[in-house]
Amino acid sequence: MSKSVAPVSAPPSTVLNPDFSCSCTDVPDKFWEKCGFSTRAIHAGQEPVKCEHNTIVPPIFGTINFKWKSSSAQGKYSYARQANPTREMLEACLAALEGAKHALTFSSGIGAATAILSLLSSNDHLIASVDLYEGTKHLLENYISRNVFEVTFVDFMFGDNLNRAIKTNTKMIWFESPTNPLLKVFDISKIARMSHDRGTIIVVQDNTYLTPYFQRPLDYGVDISMYSLSKYMNGHSDVIMGAAVLNDSDLEKKLRYTQTCTGIIPSPYDCYLVSRSLKTLSIRLEQHQRNSIEVAKYLERHQRIARVLHPGLRSHPQYELFHHQAKGHSGIISFRHFGGRHETNIILSTVKIFTLAESLGGYKSLIGLPYMMSHGLLDPFLKESMGVTENLITLSVGLEDPQDLIADLECALTKAFPRQ
Ligand SMILES: Cc1ncc(COP(=O)(O)O)c(C=O)c1O
């Protein structure tokens, strides 16, 4: 008598991709769209059949030029500034990660910003959040100083500011959420809705801090998700690169033209590295999140810490909003201690695992002082009024063991605040 075997079925929560059951051996178009984030990161745009010899790992096409079929017919590729297969495979993967139609890569995050800003003409008006990465602000100030287009900086925290700032010639809105170093969170859908209700305005969100794994701005009405891939997306602190991810095909054509004509393209070697790093993005970010929440909770319990900023903490003023629009938070934390510059200096010079350096999003934990680093060039009075004080320290919590990171901070804080 044969044993009766219970039929194997998917767990009830699993939504099966209907394309799994198709009889063809090739992967149907759009197959990956219905798969999960990690599957898309590993496969989308990189199927072996797309590569000569069916290589499992997409090769690096280091060539700058491609042989023409005849004097009147070029092949699919001609010159690598226009298109390169390694870059294309990365761009296909980036688009798939955000469920978007298009992605374009650039030689840096600021390069991506430059390309996006080239969508504006001389009489156009841009509204930017005052809480922007300082490098983006410098770029905008450069445009202001040369009267290229009009820019208004607005505090997005206060209700109607954005609505009031929109004018008939407003063509672009630019913001980040959460912001660094103060980790402010803005209502993405509200910003997009308000902007689109008032005209043909391109809404751009710099989503570098959360990546599409935790937050997908296009789902909330944003037109262009902009990235510094140099941070979490590459995650190994060894590549500078940027990207723009979008659905609008007209905007994509204009950005593609800028990418080719200005030549702000990444090298195929760097594209290969970012492509490789994306394969582990989900597990890296989960670990960054776990570590950062442990460190944040430790700091919150510490008697010499006045305030810990991390949207994963219940104490964060926009906790509910954050969790409504994001699946989680990365490794970025800011905290304010009860001392001044003297105590800050002791902390920064005592830590052994945290490295005093600019940037974020890599596997190594970093510690920073925005007052001297990202905001170093600003007037001290302005910095203080923005809340960027000498006792505000930022952490980019890496992938080390969290108990070691906490021990490192405990040692530095004990030295900075010896018991009297
Ligand atoms: C939020 C954000 N956007 C853009 C950039 C610029 O990126 P990149 O250094 O790749 O030009 C950075 C760099 O720190 C950043 O933090």
Side-chain angles (χ1 to χ4, degrees), residues 108-110 133 176 206 208-209 226 228 230-231 240-241:
S108 66
I110 285 297
Y133 162 63
E176 294 163 16
D206 183 336
T208 298
Y209 301 141
M226 182 247 137
S228 165
S230 327
K231 315 298 177 204
I240 293 271
M241 202 190 291

Side-chain angles (χ1 to χ4, degrees), residues 75-117:
K76 181 176 175 202
Y77 301 98
S78 171
Y79 189 61
R81 179 156 46 75
Q82 294 155 351
N84 170 288
T86 315
R87 190 167 84 222
E88 275 185 357
M89 284 189 267
L90 170 61
E91 290 177 344
C93 187
L94 288 170
L97 289 185
E98 201 150 341
K101 281 197 190 137
H102 312 287
L104 300 96
T105 50
F106 298 91
S107 51
S108 66
I110 285 297
T114 305
I116 296 168
L117 291 170

